[in-house]
Amino acid sequence: MEAQADNATKTKRKFDKSTLIWVMLGVIIIVIAAVNLWSVFGTKPEVLTETASISVPDFSLTNQQGEPLGLSDMVGKVWIADFIFTNCPTICPAMTQEMARLQSEFVADPVYFVSFSVDPERDTTEVLTRYAKAYGADDRRWHFLTGDKAHIYQLAEQGFSLAAGHKGSEVLHSPRFVLVKADGNIHDYYDSRSKPAMLRLRRDVKTLLKK
C-alpha cells in the first residue's frame, strides 16, 4: 500500500510539473500575442498626429498621359504622395503595390495619389503609362509624374523633406508616403514598410475625409 501511495505521489508531482509548464507556456503565448496586437492596434482611432505646418510648394510636371500637372490641380483634394522609379529593384514595387491597395480601398472616396519619379530621364510618359497600367492605376486619380530631375529632387528634399538623389549609379529615395491635406499642407509621414504606419495612414485619411 505504501508503495502504491508513493507511486501515486510521484505521478501527481509529475502531473503537477507538466501542468505548470503548459500553463506557463500558455501565459507566454498570450503575452506575446497581446504585445503584437498592441503594436498594431494600440493607438486611439480618431487622433490625428499633426506635423509642423509644411506646405507643399508649387510644382509643374507631366503625368503618364502627357498632361501637365501642378499643385493647383490638387487644391481641395486629400492626396497621398511618394517618390519612386520604375526600374527600382528593391522597395518601389512594394511601395506601388501598397499604393494600389490604398486606391482600391478608397475607390468610392475622393482620395488621390501622386507618384513622383526620381529617375525622370528614363521614366518617360510612355514608360510611366505602362507602369501605371501594370498596377491598375486609375488615370483620373493616380498620377505618375516625370519632368526636370533637378526640380523633382528639389521638390523631394526642400518641399517634402524627403531624401532623393544619386550615389554613383544608384538612385536614392525615401520609402515614406506623405499625406497631404486639402489645404496643401502636409499632414504626416508614413513608412510604407510598416504595417502599423499603414494602418495609421488609413485611419488618418478617413478622418481627413470627414472634415
Side-chain angles (χ1 to χ4, degrees), residues 40-52:
V40 175
F41 300 106
T43 51
K44 295 180 180 179
E46 299 295 320
V47 176
L48 291 177
T49 53
E50 299 281 352
T51 59

Side-chain angles (χ1 to χ4, degrees), residues 96-114:
T96 308
Q97 285 170 2
E98 184 62 41
M99 197 75 95
R101 279 191 286 269
L102 290 166
Q103 178 189 239
S104 298
E105 290 173 28
F106 291 103
V107 67
D109 299 299
V111 181
Y112 296 81
F113 309 89
V114 180

Side-chain angles (χ1 to χ4, degrees), residues 84-95 118-119 122 131 135 169-173:
I84 59 160
F85 63 105
T86 63
N87 285 302
C88 173
T90 53
I91 61 173
C92 295
M95 290 175 68
V118 290
D119 189 16
R122 287 189 291 179
Y131 191 76
Y135 286 94
S169 60
E170 185 180 3
V171 182
L172 305 175
H173 64 95

